[in-house]
Amino acid sequence: IQMAQSATNGQEWIKVDDWECKQNSWTRTRDLLTHYQEQYGPESRIMFVSGTDLIDSWLRPGLWKDEDIKEILTKFGIITISRAACQNVYHEHPVLQDKQVSNGLTLIDEWMPNGISSTLIREAIKQGKSIKYWTPDSVIDIINEAGLYK
């Protein structure tokens, strides 16, 4: 939460909330989005912003329920950067064959590929490499102070 708050400091259009962290157990994405829709009301548009690795995980058997994917896409929507490495999910997942469902997926073209991902940042830290310019300095300070990802 501290890293997310630090990274978004001064941004009026995005809010960091710790509701999910305060839950006693793992929370399904669909339940999380439903909670925020109830909190902010029907006039608010709740959308899920994710990395393509999460979207790609839809193809892993047993990880996602098809009905969860359908509801997330039709009731809320997902925004993700379209990366070549994950193009298969957009064409192969059976749920996305339904046009009404697939309309809930907004792909933003990665017009300047950079390859940065949270997974790579954690791996770089583990290997003792610098992550300067990959994430805000204030986030790097939190990671260093807490000794994270080593």
Side-chain angles (χ1 to χ4, degrees), residues 118-133:
S118 57
T119 302
L120 291 176
I121 290 173
R122 289 189 300 272
E123 186 60 32
I125 294 167
K126 186 177 177 181
Q127 294 176 16
K129 296 178 181 176
S130 173
I131 59 168
K132 182 121 176 113
Y133 309 114

Side-chain angles (χ1 to χ4, degrees), residues 2 7 14 16 20-23 28 30 33 41 51 53 57 63 70-71 79-80 90-91 98 111 118-119 135 138 143:
Q2 288 177 329
I14 192 167
V16 175
E20 184 179 13
C21 295
K22 291 179 177 178
Q23 302 311 299
R28 299 192 79 77
R30 180 173 89 175
L33 295 170
D53 54 340
S57 74
L63 189 59
K70 285 179 185 177
E71 183 169 334
I79 299 172
T80 189
Y90 308 130
H91 304 292
D98 179 340
W111 62 273
S118 57
T119 302
T135 193
S138 59
I143 291 169

Side-chain angles (χ1 to χ4, degrees), residues 32-56:
L32 177 71
L33 295 170
T34 299
H35 163 78
Y36 285 115
Q37 189 67 67
E38 291 169 356
Q39 179 178 338
Y40 291 103
E43 67 282 352
S44 297
R45 175 78 194 268
I46 305 297
M47 295 188 78
F48 187 60
V49 178
S50 76
T52 51
D53 54 340
L54 180 129
I55 304 298
D56 198 43

Side-chain angles (χ1 to χ4, degrees), residues 3 125 131 137-148 150:
M3 286 188 287
I125 294 167
I131 59 168
D137 288 344
S138 59
V139 173
I140 295 171
D141 292 342
I142 293 168
I143 291 169
N144 289 336
E145 287 171 15
L148 300 175
K150 295 189 176 187

Side-chain angles (χ1 to χ4, degrees), residues 79-91:
I79 299 172
T80 189
I81 295 174
S82 178
R83 293 186 176 160
C86 293
Q87 288 296 320
N88 58 333
V89 73
Y90 308 130
H91 304 292

